[in-house]
mmCIF file of all heavy atoms in Angstrom:
data_model
loop_
_atom_site.group_PDB
_atom_site.id
_atom_site.type_symbol
_atom_site.label_atom_id
_atom_site.label_comp_id
_atom_site.label_asym_id
_atom_site.label_seq_id
_atom_site.Cartn_x
_atom_site.Cartn_y
_atom_site.Cartn_z
ATOM 1 N N LEU J 2 -133.065 -116.953 48.161
ATOM 2 C CA LEU J 2 -134.434 -117.368 47.721
ATOM 3 C C LEU J 2 -134.981 -118.249 48.802
ATOM 4 O O LEU J 2 -134.574 -119.403 49.033
ATOM 5 C CB LEU J 2 -134.264 -118.223 46.395
ATOM 6 C CG LEU J 2 -135.555 -118.499 45.652
ATOM 7 C CD1 LEU J 2 -136.287 -117.235 45.255
ATOM 8 C CD2 LEU J 2 -135.322 -119.354 44.425
ATOM 9 N N LEU J 3 -135.878 -117.731 49.531
ATOM 10 C CA LEU J 3 -136.496 -118.353 50.721
ATOM 11 C C LEU J 3 -137.847 -118.908 50.419
ATOM 12 O O LEU J 3 -138.695 -118.248 49.818
ATOM 13 C CB LEU J 3 -136.624 -117.337 51.824
ATOM 14 C CG LEU J 3 -135.346 -116.630 52.345
ATOM 15 C CD1 LEU J 3 -135.678 -115.591 53.376
ATOM 16 C CD2 LEU J 3 -134.357 -117.640 52.920
ATOM 17 N N LEU J 4 -138.056 -120.224 50.742
ATOM 18 C CA LEU J 4 -139.375 -120.832 50.779
ATOM 19 C C LEU J 4 -139.873 -120.863 52.118
ATOM 20 O O LEU J 4 -139.296 -121.422 53.050
ATOM 21 C CB LEU J 4 -139.232 -122.280 50.169
ATOM 22 C CG LEU J 4 -140.534 -123.080 50.191
ATOM 23 C CD1 LEU J 4 -141.553 -122.462 49.192
ATOM 24 C CD2 LEU J 4 -140.250 -124.548 49.810
ATOM 25 N N ALA J 5 -141.037 -120.224 52.334
ATOM 26 C CA ALA J 5 -141.574 -120.100 53.690
ATOM 27 C C ALA J 5 -142.899 -120.848 53.770
ATOM 28 O O ALA J 5 -143.763 -120.850 52.868
ATOM 29 C CB ALA J 5 -141.818 -118.642 54.032
ATOM 30 N N VAL J 6 -143.105 -121.644 54.879
ATOM 31 C CA VAL J 6 -144.340 -122.359 55.156
ATOM 32 C C VAL J 6 -144.812 -122.149 56.615
ATOM 33 O O VAL J 6 -143.945 -121.981 57.480
ATOM 34 C CB VAL J 6 -144.247 -123.811 54.812
ATOM 35 C CG1 VAL J 6 -143.710 -124.049 53.437
ATOM 36 C CG2 VAL J 6 -143.247 -124.443 55.859
ATOM 37 N N ASP J 7 -146.075 -122.094 56.778
ATOM 38 C CA ASP J 7 -146.577 -122.117 58.172
ATOM 39 C C ASP J 7 -147.969 -122.820 58.236
ATOM 40 O O ASP J 7 -148.820 -122.505 57.431
ATOM 41 C CB ASP J 7 -146.754 -120.604 58.647
ATOM 42 C CG ASP J 7 -146.923 -120.466 60.158
ATOM 43 O OD1 ASP J 7 -147.437 -121.438 60.753
ATOM 44 O OD2 ASP J 7 -146.334 -119.488 60.714
ATOM 45 N N THR J 8 -148.013 -123.750 59.095
ATOM 46 C CA THR J 8 -149.284 -124.488 59.334
ATOM 47 C C THR J 8 -149.733 -124.498 60.782
ATOM 48 O O THR J 8 -150.433 -125.438 61.268
ATOM 49 C CB THR J 8 -149.186 -125.987 58.877
ATOM 50 O OG1 THR J 8 -148.059 -126.576 59.579
ATOM 51 C CG2 THR J 8 -148.871 -126.036 57.368
ATOM 52 N N VAL J 13 -153.110 -122.584 55.786
ATOM 53 C CA VAL J 13 -152.010 -123.249 55.151
ATOM 54 C C VAL J 13 -151.388 -122.287 54.189
ATOM 55 O O VAL J 13 -151.934 -121.997 53.127
ATOM 56 C CB VAL J 13 -152.563 -124.508 54.438
ATOM 57 C CG1 VAL J 13 -151.301 -125.286 53.810
ATOM 58 C CG2 VAL J 13 -153.284 -125.419 55.380
ATOM 59 N N THR J 14 -150.239 -121.757 54.596
ATOM 60 C CA THR J 14 -149.698 -120.630 53.815
ATOM 61 C C THR J 14 -148.239 -120.895 53.369
ATOM 62 O O THR J 14 -147.451 -121.438 54.146
ATOM 63 C CB THR J 14 -149.770 -119.318 54.586
ATOM 64 O OG1 THR J 14 -149.183 -118.228 53.930
ATOM 65 C CG2 THR J 14 -149.142 -119.429 55.980
ATOM 66 N N VAL J 15 -147.929 -120.597 52.098
ATOM 67 C CA VAL J 15 -146.687 -120.877 51.538
ATOM 68 C C VAL J 15 -146.269 -119.569 50.706
ATOM 69 O O VAL J 15 -147.044 -118.989 50.031
ATOM 70 C CB VAL J 15 -146.682 -122.057 50.587
ATOM 71 C CG1 VAL J 15 -145.338 -122.342 49.937
ATOM 72 C CG2 VAL J 15 -147.151 -123.303 51.327
ATOM 73 N N ALA J 16 -144.983 -119.241 50.738
ATOM 74 C CA ALA J 16 -144.509 -118.155 49.908
ATOM 75 C C ALA J 16 -143.105 -118.298 49.521
ATOM 76 O O ALA J 16 -142.303 -119.036 50.177
ATOM 77 C CB ALA J 16 -144.633 -116.803 50.683
ATOM 78 N N LEU J 17 -142.715 -117.625 48.397
ATOM 79 C CA LEU J 17 -141.356 -117.618 47.883
ATOM 80 C C LEU J 17 -140.875 -116.134 47.940
ATOM 81 O O LEU J 17 -141.534 -115.282 47.409
ATOM 82 C CB LEU J 17 -141.229 -118.206 46.507
ATOM 83 C CG LEU J 17 -139.899 -118.583 45.960
ATOM 84 C CD1 LEU J 17 -139.323 -119.789 46.739
ATOM 85 C CD2 LEU J 17 -140.025 -118.982 44.505
ATOM 86 N N HIS J 18 -139.724 -115.949 48.540
ATOM 87 C CA HIS J 18 -139.187 -114.553 48.768
ATOM 88 C C HIS J 18 -137.792 -114.554 48.271
ATOM 89 O O HIS J 18 -136.972 -115.384 48.626
ATOM 90 C CB HIS J 18 -139.348 -114.203 50.287
ATOM 91 C CG HIS J 18 -139.184 -112.816 50.632
ATOM 92 N ND1 HIS J 18 -138.040 -112.072 50.552
ATOM 93 C CD2 HIS J 18 -140.181 -111.865 50.939
ATOM 94 C CE1 HIS J 18 -138.212 -110.834 50.882
ATOM 95 N NE2 HIS J 18 -139.535 -110.693 51.101
ATOM 96 N N ASP J 19 -137.436 -113.422 47.517
ATOM 97 C CA ASP J 19 -136.074 -113.378 46.985
ATOM 98 C C ASP J 19 -135.193 -112.426 47.826
ATOM 99 O O ASP J 19 -134.066 -112.019 47.406
ATOM 100 C CB ASP J 19 -136.105 -112.836 45.568
ATOM 101 C CG ASP J 19 -136.599 -111.411 45.436
ATOM 102 O OD1 ASP J 19 -136.993 -110.732 46.397
ATOM 103 O OD2 ASP J 19 -136.642 -110.889 44.276
ATOM 104 N N VAL J 23 -141.916 -110.628 47.786
ATOM 105 C CA VAL J 23 -142.548 -111.927 47.658
ATOM 106 C C VAL J 23 -142.714 -112.204 46.204
ATOM 107 O O VAL J 23 -143.343 -111.337 45.441
ATOM 108 C CB VAL J 23 -143.952 -111.922 48.380
ATOM 109 C CG1 VAL J 23 -144.670 -113.233 48.010
ATOM 110 C CG2 VAL J 23 -143.752 -111.735 49.850
ATOM 111 N N ALA J 25 -144.145 -115.170 44.941
ATOM 112 C CA ALA J 25 -145.440 -115.864 44.822
ATOM 113 C C ALA J 25 -145.863 -116.272 46.159
ATOM 114 O O ALA J 25 -145.046 -116.553 47.046
ATOM 115 C CB ALA J 25 -145.306 -117.093 43.798
ATOM 116 N N GLU J 26 -147.217 -116.460 46.327
ATOM 117 C CA GLU J 26 -147.695 -116.811 47.679
ATOM 118 C C GLU J 26 -149.025 -117.592 47.472
ATOM 119 O O GLU J 26 -149.816 -117.290 46.590
ATOM 120 C CB GLU J 26 -147.948 -115.557 48.532
ATOM 121 C CG GLU J 26 -148.377 -115.921 49.891
ATOM 122 C CD GLU J 26 -148.355 -114.665 50.835
ATOM 123 O OE1 GLU J 26 -148.173 -113.556 50.355
ATOM 124 O OE2 GLU J 26 -148.556 -114.808 52.118
ATOM 125 N N SER J 27 -149.289 -118.494 48.357
ATOM 126 C CA SER J 27 -150.580 -119.295 48.409
ATOM 127 C C SER J 27 -151.092 -119.263 49.839
ATOM 128 O O SER J 27 -150.354 -119.549 50.740
ATOM 129 C CB SER J 27 -150.388 -120.699 47.900
ATOM 130 O OG SER J 27 -151.560 -121.472 48.061
ATOM 131 N N ASN J 28 -152.371 -118.948 50.031
ATOM 132 C CA ASN J 28 -152.958 -118.937 51.358
ATOM 133 C C ASN J 28 -154.325 -119.596 51.270
ATOM 134 O O ASN J 28 -155.191 -119.234 50.526
ATOM 135 C CB ASN J 28 -153.217 -117.478 51.868
ATOM 136 C CG ASN J 28 -151.911 -116.744 52.042
ATOM 137 O OD1 ASN J 28 -151.099 -117.055 52.874
ATOM 138 N ND2 ASN J 28 -151.721 -115.749 51.216
ATOM 139 N N LEU J 39 -150.565 -128.633 51.945
ATOM 140 C CA LEU J 39 -149.296 -127.981 51.984
ATOM 141 C C LEU J 39 -148.447 -128.268 50.745
ATOM 142 O O LEU J 39 -147.943 -127.337 50.088
ATOM 143 C CB LEU J 39 -148.537 -128.390 53.217
ATOM 144 C CG LEU J 39 -147.134 -127.706 53.412
ATOM 145 C CD1 LEU J 39 -147.322 -126.191 53.435
ATOM 146 C CD2 LEU J 39 -146.524 -128.211 54.721
ATOM 147 N N SER J 42 -149.582 -126.691 47.591
ATOM 148 C CA SER J 42 -149.382 -125.214 47.705
ATOM 149 C C SER J 42 -147.910 -124.955 47.319
ATOM 150 O O SER J 42 -147.654 -123.842 46.706
ATOM 151 C CB SER J 42 -149.757 -124.697 49.076
ATOM 152 O OG SER J 42 -151.085 -124.906 49.337
ATOM 153 N N VAL J 43 -146.972 -125.707 47.807
ATOM 154 C CA VAL J 43 -145.576 -125.469 47.437
ATOM 155 C C VAL J 43 -145.374 -125.589 45.956
ATOM 156 O O VAL J 43 -144.746 -124.743 45.344
ATOM 157 C CB VAL J 43 -144.631 -126.513 48.192
ATOM 158 C CG1 VAL J 43 -143.231 -126.404 47.703
ATOM 159 C CG2 VAL J 43 -144.685 -126.247 49.707
ATOM 160 N N VAL J 46 -146.822 -122.429 44.219
ATOM 161 C CA VAL J 46 -145.940 -121.307 44.450
ATOM 162 C C VAL J 46 -144.708 -121.291 43.514
ATOM 163 O O VAL J 46 -144.324 -120.274 42.942
ATOM 164 C CB VAL J 46 -145.582 -121.067 45.886
ATOM 165 C CG1 VAL J 46 -144.467 -120.122 46.085
ATOM 166 C CG2 VAL J 46 -146.863 -120.577 46.656
ATOM 167 N N LEU J 47 -144.091 -122.477 43.507
ATOM 168 C CA LEU J 47 -142.855 -122.557 42.699
ATOM 169 C C LEU J 47 -143.175 -122.396 41.248
ATOM 170 O O LEU J 47 -142.452 -121.753 40.448
ATOM 171 C CB LEU J 47 -142.217 -123.939 42.966
ATOM 172 C CG LEU J 47 -141.588 -124.170 44.274
ATOM 173 C CD1 LEU J 47 -141.166 -125.589 44.493
ATOM 174 C CD2 LEU J 47 -140.400 -123.238 44.511
ATOM 175 N N LEU J 54 -137.435 -126.123 42.758
ATOM 176 C CA LEU J 54 -137.180 -126.289 44.188
ATOM 177 C C LEU J 54 -135.713 -126.265 44.536
ATOM 178 O O LEU J 54 -135.310 -125.766 45.514
ATOM 179 C CB LEU J 54 -137.819 -127.658 44.705
ATOM 180 C CG LEU J 54 -137.663 -127.924 46.198
ATOM 181 C CD1 LEU J 54 -138.327 -126.810 47.068
ATOM 182 C CD2 LEU J 54 -138.181 -129.328 46.508
ATOM 183 N N VAL J 57 -133.936 -123.036 45.707
ATOM 184 C CA VAL J 57 -134.176 -122.416 47.016
ATOM 185 C C VAL J 57 -132.873 -122.448 47.921
ATOM 186 O O VAL J 57 -132.191 -123.476 47.911
ATOM 187 C CB VAL J 57 -135.327 -123.194 47.785
ATOM 188 C CG1 VAL J 57 -135.451 -122.774 49.255
ATOM 189 C CG2 VAL J 57 -136.621 -122.926 47.000
ATOM 190 N N GLY J 59 -132.905 -121.359 51.272
ATOM 191 C CA GLY J 59 -133.234 -121.469 52.690
ATOM 192 C C GLY J 59 -134.736 -121.710 52.817
ATOM 193 O O GLY J 59 -135.589 -121.328 52.080
ATOM 194 N N ILE J 60 -135.038 -122.408 53.989
ATOM 195 C CA ILE J 60 -136.408 -122.701 54.315
ATOM 196 C C ILE J 60 -136.782 -121.898 55.520
ATOM 197 O O ILE J 60 -136.090 -121.909 56.546
ATOM 198 C CB ILE J 60 -136.639 -124.226 54.530
ATOM 199 C CG1 ILE J 60 -136.099 -125.086 53.407
ATOM 200 C CG2 ILE J 60 -138.143 -124.496 54.764
ATOM 201 C CD1 ILE J 60 -136.801 -124.888 52.055
ATOM 202 N N VAL J 61 -137.940 -121.262 55.518
ATOM 203 C CA VAL J 61 -138.486 -120.517 56.721
ATOM 204 C C VAL J 61 -139.744 -121.253 57.152
ATOM 205 O O VAL J 61 -140.606 -121.603 56.343
ATOM 206 C CB VAL J 61 -138.773 -119.068 56.355
ATOM 207 C CG1 VAL J 61 -139.325 -118.342 57.531
ATOM 208 C CG2 VAL J 61 -137.561 -118.355 55.821
ATOM 209 N N VAL J 62 -139.887 -121.478 58.467
ATOM 210 C CA VAL J 62 -141.087 -122.131 58.943
ATOM 211 C C VAL J 62 -141.587 -121.551 60.263
ATOM 212 O O VAL J 62 -140.791 -121.153 61.145
ATOM 213 C CB VAL J 62 -140.757 -123.703 59.178
ATOM 214 C CG1 VAL J 62 -139.683 -123.859 60.224
ATOM 215 C CG2 VAL J 62 -142.112 -124.431 59.565
ATOM 216 N N GLY J 63 -142.860 -121.409 60.339
ATOM 217 C CA GLY J 63 -143.516 -120.959 61.545
ATOM 218 C C GLY J 63 -143.476 -122.047 62.552
ATOM 219 O O GLY J 63 -143.948 -123.168 62.285
ATOM 220 N N GLY J 75 -146.141 -128.625 59.061
ATOM 221 C CA GLY J 75 -145.172 -127.616 58.503
ATOM 222 C C GLY J 75 -143.781 -127.774 58.943
ATOM 223 O O GLY J 75 -142.851 -127.708 58.061
ATOM 224 N N THR J 78 -142.254 -130.910 57.162
ATOM 225 C CA THR J 78 -142.067 -130.672 55.739
ATOM 226 C C THR J 78 -140.871 -129.694 55.595
ATOM 227 O O THR J 78 -139.986 -129.941 54.699
ATOM 228 C CB THR J 78 -143.251 -129.946 55.123
ATOM 229 O OG1 THR J 78 -144.358 -130.897 55.280
ATOM 230 C CG2 THR J 78 -143.111 -129.640 53.670
ATOM 231 N N ALA J 79 -140.773 -128.687 56.349
ATOM 232 C CA ALA J 79 -139.585 -127.751 56.238
ATOM 233 C C ALA J 79 -138.330 -128.429 56.484
ATOM 234 O O ALA J 79 -137.337 -128.192 55.827
ATOM 235 C CB ALA J 79 -139.889 -126.559 57.247
ATOM 236 N N PHE J 82 -137.419 -130.700 53.545
ATOM 237 C CA PHE J 82 -136.907 -129.929 52.356
ATOM 238 C C PHE J 82 -135.436 -129.455 52.653
ATOM 239 O O PHE J 82 -134.594 -129.568 51.752
ATOM 240 C CB PHE J 82 -137.702 -128.725 52.135
ATOM 241 C CG PHE J 82 -139.046 -128.992 51.366
ATOM 242 C CD1 PHE J 82 -140.074 -128.220 51.554
ATOM 243 C CD2 PHE J 82 -139.073 -130.005 50.470
ATOM 244 C CE1 PHE J 82 -141.313 -128.394 50.791
ATOM 245 C CE2 PHE J 82 -140.198 -130.258 49.715
ATOM 246 C CZ PHE J 82 -141.309 -129.460 49.902
ATOM 247 N N VAL J 90 -132.579 -124.141 57.598
ATOM 248 C CA VAL J 90 -133.939 -123.936 57.940
ATOM 249 C C VAL J 90 -134.045 -122.955 59.122
ATOM 250 O O VAL J 90 -133.354 -123.048 60.037
ATOM 251 C CB VAL J 90 -134.713 -125.256 58.262
ATOM 252 C CG1 VAL J 90 -134.089 -126.010 59.407
ATOM 253 C CG2 VAL J 90 -136.214 -124.991 58.529
ATOM 254 N N TYR J 91 -134.907 -121.928 58.948
ATOM 255 C CA TYR J 91 -135.015 -120.888 59.908
ATOM 256 C C TYR J 91 -136.396 -120.916 60.551
ATOM 257 O O TYR J 91 -137.418 -120.770 59.860
ATOM 258 C CB TYR J 91 -134.810 -119.498 59.232
ATOM 259 C CG TYR J 91 -133.537 -119.434 58.409
ATOM 260 C CD1 TYR J 91 -133.569 -119.486 57.070
ATOM 261 C CD2 TYR J 91 -132.335 -119.253 59.079
ATOM 262 C CE1 TYR J 91 -132.330 -119.412 56.350
ATOM 263 C CE2 TYR J 91 -131.127 -119.168 58.402
ATOM 264 C CZ TYR J 91 -131.122 -119.222 56.990
ATOM 265 O OH TYR J 91 -129.954 -119.108 56.254
ATOM 266 N N LEU J 93 -139.269 -119.384 62.981
ATOM 267 C CA LEU J 93 -139.810 -118.102 63.498
ATOM 268 C C LEU J 93 -141.101 -118.345 64.170
ATOM 269 O O LEU J 93 -141.936 -119.121 63.816
ATOM 270 C CB LEU J 93 -140.026 -117.021 62.366
ATOM 271 C CG LEU J 93 -138.784 -116.444 61.755
ATOM 272 C CD1 LEU J 93 -139.181 -115.621 60.514
ATOM 273 C CD2 LEU J 93 -138.117 -115.513 62.786
ATOM 274 N N GLN J 176 -152.505 -115.820 59.244
ATOM 275 C CA GLN J 176 -151.069 -115.855 59.021
ATOM 276 C C GLN J 176 -150.722 -115.751 57.514
ATOM 277 O O GLN J 176 -151.470 -116.284 56.654
ATOM 278 C CB GLN J 176 -150.431 -117.144 59.613
ATOM 279 C CG GLN J 176 -148.932 -117.247 59.352
ATOM 280 C CD GLN J 176 -148.042 -116.277 59.991
ATOM 281 O OE1 GLN J 176 -148.225 -115.089 59.931
ATOM 282 N NE2 GLN J 176 -147.053 -116.809 60.610
ATOM 283 N N SER J 177 -149.663 -115.139 57.180
ATOM 284 C CA SER J 177 -149.150 -115.005 55.834
ATOM 285 C C SER J 177 -147.671 -115.420 55.794
ATOM 286 O O SER J 177 -146.849 -114.897 56.495
ATOM 287 C CB SER J 177 -149.204 -113.562 55.346
ATOM 288 O OG SER J 177 -148.410 -113.333 54.246
ATOM 289 N N ALA J 178 -147.419 -116.487 54.943
ATOM 290 C CA ALA J 178 -146.048 -116.948 54.846
ATOM 291 C C ALA J 178 -145.200 -115.837 54.116
ATOM 292 O O ALA J 178 -143.966 -115.770 54.339
ATOM 293 C CB ALA J 178 -145.997 -118.218 53.871
ATOM 294 N N GLY J 179 -145.894 -114.989 53.337
ATOM 295 C CA GLY J 179 -145.153 -113.845 52.713
ATOM 296 C C GLY J 179 -144.524 -112.924 53.770
ATOM 297 O O GLY J 179 -143.405 -112.436 53.705
ATOM 298 N N ALA J 180 -145.338 -112.604 54.847
ATOM 299 C CA ALA J 180 -144.887 -111.758 55.915
ATOM 300 C C ALA J 180 -143.816 -112.465 56.706
ATOM 301 O O ALA J 180 -142.819 -111.865 57.162
ATOM 302 C CB ALA J 180 -146.070 -111.380 56.778
ATOM 303 N N LEU J 181 -143.974 -113.781 56.958
ATOM 304 C CA LEU J 181 -142.967 -114.588 57.697
ATOM 305 C C LEU J 181 -141.671 -114.557 56.891
ATOM 306 O O LEU J 181 -140.590 -114.364 57.557
ATOM 307 C CB LEU J 181 -143.522 -115.971 57.879
ATOM 308 C CG LEU J 181 -142.797 -116.806 58.956
ATOM 309 C CD1 LEU J 181 -143.146 -116.334 60.308
ATOM 310 C CD2 LEU J 181 -143.134 -118.295 58.796
ATOM 311 N N ALA J 182 -141.703 -114.689 55.611
ATOM 312 C CA ALA J 182 -140.442 -114.724 54.775
ATOM 313 C C ALA J 182 -139.817 -113.353 54.763
ATOM 314 O O ALA J 182 -138.592 -113.248 54.920
ATOM 315 C CB ALA J 182 -140.771 -115.161 53.402
ATOM 316 N N ALA J 183 -140.617 -112.308 54.734
ATOM 317 C CA ALA J 183 -140.058 -110.958 54.780
ATOM 318 C C ALA J 183 -139.346 -110.694 56.090
ATOM 319 O O ALA J 183 -138.279 -110.085 56.082
ATOM 320 C CB ALA J 183 -141.210 -109.921 54.521
ATOM 321 N N LEU J 184 -139.963 -111.120 57.135
ATOM 322 C CA LEU J 184 -139.329 -111.004 58.458
ATOM 323 C C LEU J 184 -138.024 -111.784 58.534
ATOM 324 O O LEU J 184 -136.949 -111.239 59.048
ATOM 325 C CB LEU J 184 -140.291 -111.414 59.603
ATOM 326 C CG LEU J 184 -139.718 -111.426 60.998
ATOM 327 C CD1 LEU J 184 -139.316 -109.925 61.393
ATOM 328 C CD2 LEU J 184 -140.775 -111.955 61.971
ATOM 329 N N ALA J 185 -137.975 -112.961 58.018
ATOM 330 C CA ALA J 185 -136.765 -113.800 58.010
ATOM 331 C C ALA J 185 -135.662 -113.122 57.183
ATOM 332 O O ALA J 185 -134.458 -113.070 57.533
ATOM 333 C CB ALA J 185 -137.093 -115.161 57.418
ATOM 334 N N ALA J 186 -136.071 -112.560 56.030
ATOM 335 C CA ALA J 186 -135.088 -111.858 55.210
ATOM 336 C C ALA J 186 -134.503 -110.666 55.966
ATOM 337 O O ALA J 186 -133.238 -110.426 55.827
ATOM 338 C CB ALA J 186 -135.661 -111.374 53.902
#
Side-chain angles (χ1 to χ4, degrees):
L2 192 59
L3 300 174
L4 177 65
V6 302
D7 198 324
T8 58
V13 180
T14 178
V15 179
L17 196 66
H18 196 285
D19 66 0
V23 174
E26 184 171 9
S27 173
N28 297 294
L39 183 56
S42 295
V43 171
V46 165
L47 292 171
L54 181 61
V57 170
I60 309 294
V61 180
V62 62
T78 300
F82 278 153
V90 56
Y91 306 105
L93 285 172
Q176 173 69 310
S177 159
L181 197 72
L184 177 59

